[in-house]
């Protein structure tokens, strides 16, 4: 085992107890997996087609198959800057992805200005731009010399109307900020997504000059409308082979898994369970091998308990 039983459940304080070293993918700040990700057959062609056609890339596959890692590698190799991320839920709307208007914050600020003026102070100005923030999609559509990289994660979890709402924006590469138009504010410096940077928006209009590289992921939980699919380059992550899994283990753990032995058996069981329809993620296998790869990783009841704990089907409770 690569870990000792630091916690024993006996209530005894052990302030000097040595804690195990974290696995490589759980050190912080989190390191990008771009260097260790190996694209499966056909994925590089799909990425290059999406880049050439200026179309979103839709990748379908089970959880933990590396779908969202693809964009990290593309953004790193092509120097597209930090990846913008939009994690979709059933409550997600196109408006939130484009920009957000803090109307309650503005009302509160207006009341404070009125109170300040009442007692003779300087009331200041009411700048609507201070209460606007571009969303991840809105930031990706800003004019730029190079396309930005945008991850739209789990698009299949969206409300049924969201893919249709996206179509016009993805086709035209532009949108308008209604609040700026309504107040006839011709120039506004608006904050960008997850940044203190501000970009100038003229006449409430944002128009991309380079269409962003958009990667959308789907677990296949619901069908997406045909008009939406027609505008995407589509790729399905294949079921991994034993050889591919061994290569992933080598890249992530610097561990060579042979054709036989306990580690090889775990890899083979993992591949067979996936082929049988179970829902498992590669990081479950990596975590299990990480814990069992130390000098104490022998066949034992503890070993079996670790395997049972970490290699549970994700479709169950």
């Amino acid at each position: 085992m690569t870990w000792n039983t630091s916690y024993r459940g006996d209530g005894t304080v052990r302030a000097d107890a040595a804690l195990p070293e974290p696995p490589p993918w759980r050190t912080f700040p989190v390191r990008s997996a771009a260097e260790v990700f190996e694209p499966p057959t056909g994925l590089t062609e799909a990425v290059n087609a999406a880049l050439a056609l200026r179309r979103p890339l839709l990748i379908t596959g089970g959880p933990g198959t590396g779908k969202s890692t693809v964009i990290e590698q593309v953004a790193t190799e092509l120097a597209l800057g930090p990846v913008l991320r939009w994690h979709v839920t059933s409550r997600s709307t196109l408006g939130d992805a484009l920009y957000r208007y803090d109307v309650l914050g503005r009302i509160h600020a207006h009341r404070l200005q009125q109170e300040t003026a009442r007692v003779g102070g300087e009331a200041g100005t009411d700048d609507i731009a201070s209460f606007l923030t571009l969303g991840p999609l809105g930031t990706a559509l800003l004019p730029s010399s190079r396309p930005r990289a945008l991850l739209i994660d789990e698009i299949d979890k969206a409300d049924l109307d969201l893919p249709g709402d996206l179509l016009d924006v993805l086709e035209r590469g532009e949108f308008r900020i209604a609040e700026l138009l309504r107040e006839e504010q011709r120039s506004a410096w608006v904050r960008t997504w997850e940044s203190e940077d501000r970009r100038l928006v003229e006449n409430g209009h944002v128009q991309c000059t380079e269409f962003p590289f958009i990667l959308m992921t789907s677990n296949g939980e619901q069908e997406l409308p045909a008009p939406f699919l027609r505008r995407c380059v589509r790729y399905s992550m294949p079921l991994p082979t034993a050889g591919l899994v061994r290569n992933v283990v080598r890249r992530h753990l610097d561990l060579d898994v042979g054709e036989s032995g306990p580690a090889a058996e775990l890899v083979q069981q993992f591949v067979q369970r996936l082929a049988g329809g179970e829902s498992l993620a590669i990081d479950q296998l990596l975590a299990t091998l990480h814990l069992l790869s130390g000098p104490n990783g022998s066949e034992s009841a503890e070993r079996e308990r670790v395997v049972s704990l970490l290699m549970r089907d994700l479709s169950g409770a």
Side-chain angles (χ1 to χ4, degrees):
M1 301 285 182
T2 58
W3 53 288
N4 296 315
T5 50
S6 306
Y7 165 69
R8 300 177 186 175
D10 58 10
T12 302
V13 177
R14 300 179 182 86
D16 58 347
L19 299 178
E21 291 294 322
W25 61 92
R26 291 298 294 169
T27 57
F28 297 91
V30 176
R31 294 182 293 179
S32 171
E35 294 182 3
V36 296
F37 177 72
E38 182 174 352
T41 302
L43 180 57
T44 55
E45 289 82 359
V47 169
N48 285 319
L51 287 166
L53 297 172
R54 303 314 197 258
R55 291 291 191 184
L57 172 61
L58 174 62
I59 299 183
T60 303
T65 53
K67 300 187 300 297
S68 58
T69 308
V70 176
I71 198 167
E72 292 281 357
Q73 193 173 68
V74 174
T76 298
E77 287 194 15
L78 302 182
L80 303 183
V83 174
L84 299 163
R85 300 174 184 273
W86 178 20
H87 299 284
V88 175
T89 70
S90 60
R91 299 182 300 276
S92 297
T93 67
L94 176 61
D96 286 340
L98 294 175
Y99 70 92
R100 299 175 184 184
Y101 173 41
D102 184 9
V103 61
L104 293 180
R106 191 181 187 195
I107 291 173
H108 180 65
H110 182 65
R111 288 176 177 171
L112 287 178
Q113 289 173 353
Q114 288 181 322
E115 181 63 22
T116 301
R118 188 182 65 81
V119 297
E122 180 64 37
T125 59
D126 180 26
D127 182 10
I128 187 175
S130 300
F131 304 95
L132 289 169
T133 302
L134 294 177
L137 177 56
T139 300
L141 292 174
L142 284 167
S144 59
S145 59
R146 252 177 120 64
R148 292 298 305 270
L150 170 66
L151 173 66
I152 303 179
D153 203 18
E154 300 188 330
I155 185 67
D156 55 322
K157 288 188 175 179
D159 179 83
L160 293 176
D161 292 332
L162 181 58
D165 293 341
L166 268 171
L167 288 181
D168 185 61
V169 173
L170 295 182
E171 284 297 291
R172 300 172 63 86
E174 66 176 347
F175 68 97
R176 297 185 182 277
I177 299 177
E179 287 76 11
L180 292 178
L181 295 172
R182 185 169 56 244
E183 300 199 10
E184 299 182 347
Q185 186 162 334
R186 296 189 177 277
S187 299
W189 289 90
V190 180
R191 184 180 297 108
T192 58
W193 181 247
E194 294 185 339
S195 170
E196 292 302 316
D197 294 340
R198 292 178 179 270
R199 293 289 298 275
L200 180 63
V201 175
E202 300 277 7
N203 299 314
H205 181 224
V206 174
Q207 170 73 70
C208 73
T209 51
E210 287 289 339
F211 188 77
F213 174 66
I214 300 177
L215 189 148
M216 296 181 285
T217 70
S218 169
N219 293 327
E221 294 184 3
Q222 71 174 9
E223 292 186 8
L224 297 168
F228 179 79
L229 294 176
R230 180 171 64 82
R231 291 166 171 84
C232 300
V233 174
R234 290 179 284 163
Y235 179 84
S236 296
M237 296 293 278
L239 287 175
T241 63
L244 177 61
V245 172
R246 284 196 292 268
N247 198 26
V248 171
V249 172
R250 182 168 54 253
R251 284 171 170 255
H252 281 271
L253 298 180
D254 196 23
L255 174 67
D256 285 317
V257 177
E259 297 293 334
S260 61
E265 290 177 8
L266 272 176
V267 168
Q268 192 60 39
Q269 291 170 7
F270 175 77
V271 172
Q272 290 174 348
R273 290 175 66 182
L274 284 177
E278 291 190 55
S279 179
L280 294 169
I282 190 68
D283 58 351
Q284 291 176 272
L285 176 65
L286 292 173
T288 304
L289 289 172
H290 172 72
L291 291 185
L292 299 180
S293 62
N296 298 322
S298 59
E299 293 288 348
S300 64
E302 185 178 23
R303 172 189 171 86
E304 294 305 316
R305 286 197 296 270
V306 169
V307 173
S308 177
L309 175 70
L310 298 181
M311 297 291 289
R312 296 179 63 180
D313 189 338
L314 296 175
S315 62

